[in-house]
Amino acid sequence: MVERFAPGIGVRAATRMWFTVPPAMPRSLLPPPPRGRDAHLELDGRMLYSTVWGAGPPVYLVHGWGGRSEQLGGFVAPLVAAGHRVVAFDAPAHGASGPGRFGATSTIPEFASALHAAVLAHGRPHAVIAHSMGATATAFALREGVRPGRLVLLAPMGDPRAMLGAFADQLGLGTRVRAGLERSVQHRIGLPFEAFDVAATAGVVAVPPTLVVHDRGDREVASAESRTIAAAWPGSRLVLTEGLGHRKLLRDAGVLEDVVGFVRAPLRDHRGPA
C-alpha cells in the first residue's frame, strides 16, 4: 500500500530507521578495560566520550555501528604493554557520547570525523584498529587525510550500498521506496555510495599495510567483503577465523595475538597506487 499510494511516507520512515542508532550493549555486560584517563574530545561542539591508556605511538580503536569503545577493550592491555598509547572513543550518538548532527543518528562521515578529531588531539596514528562499520569509516578517513602507519580491519563492512539493499529486503520495500531511500540517504550524507566502497579506496589513496580479519560464519557482514578488500589492497593480509561470528573475534585470544603482533611489527616501505 505504501509503495503504491504513499511512497514518500515510506521513504521518510525507512530513512529514519536507517540512520537511527540502535541501543548499544550496556557497559556493565562487557569486560571492563583497564582504568584509563578521560580524554576531552569534541566534534563540532558536541562531546565525545573518549579514554586514553599508556604512552608512546598512538593506536586508535574504532567500534562499529551500534557499538561502543569498550567492545575493543581486549586490545588495550597488550598494546599498552607493547609501548603504545591507546585511544578509544564512542562515535556520535553511540555509547556515552553526545548526539550526532541530527540527534540520535549517525553516519559514516561522522564516524570518520570523530576519528579525525581524536587524531588531531593525540597525533598521527601508528595504527588504527577498526570493527565493522568503523572499518568502513576508517577507510573513508584515509580519503579525508588520516594517515595511519598500519591498519587492522575487523569484519569490515565493505559495501554500504549492498548493506542498504539488505536493509530494504529486510523491510520488504518495493521498487519506488527502495530507490527513494537510496536517494534520501545520499542526500543526507552529501556523497555517493561509491565514496564508501572500501575496496575501491586503494584506487584513490595509498593504503597502509593492512591486516583484515573476518569470521567465515559471520551472519551480519559476509566474509566475502573482506576477501574483496584484501584482493584490492596492495600488501594486505587476510585472516579468516571459524566460529567467532561478528563480535566474538574482538575478544578471541588468537585474534588479539595476531592483531597486536601485526601492530608491533617494524614498518616497512609500502607504496600504494600513485
Side-chain angles (χ1 to χ4, degrees), residues 73-157:
F75 294 101
V76 172
L79 287 170
V80 169
H84 288 286
R85 176 166 25 119
V86 180
V87 182
F89 59 87
D90 289 348
H94 285 72
S97 282
R101 182 181 175 191
F102 297 100
T105 68
S106 195
T107 63
I108 292 172
E110 282 188 272
F111 266 67
S113 294
L115 174 59
H116 195 264
V119 168
L120 289 176
H122 299 283
R124 181 183 176 185
H126 172 82
V128 177
I129 300 171
H131 177 234
S132 193
M133 200 194 85
T136 317
T138 300
F140 178 71
L142 299 183
R143 299 183 183 221
E144 297 292 291
V146 173
R147 294 288 179 264
R150 54 185 59 225
L151 184 57
V152 178
L153 305 179
L154 302 169
M157 184 184 74

Side-chain angles (χ1 to χ4, degrees), residues 10-22 65 104-106 164 167 170-171 173 181 185 188:
V11 169
R12 288 193 293 274
T15 301
R16 185 171 59 251
M17 292 174 65
W18 173 257
F19 285 114
T20 298
V21 178
W65 180 252
T105 68
S106 195
L164 188 75
F167 173 78
Q170 186 177 17
L171 293 181
L173 301 183
L181 171 62
V185 169
R188 167 78 71 90

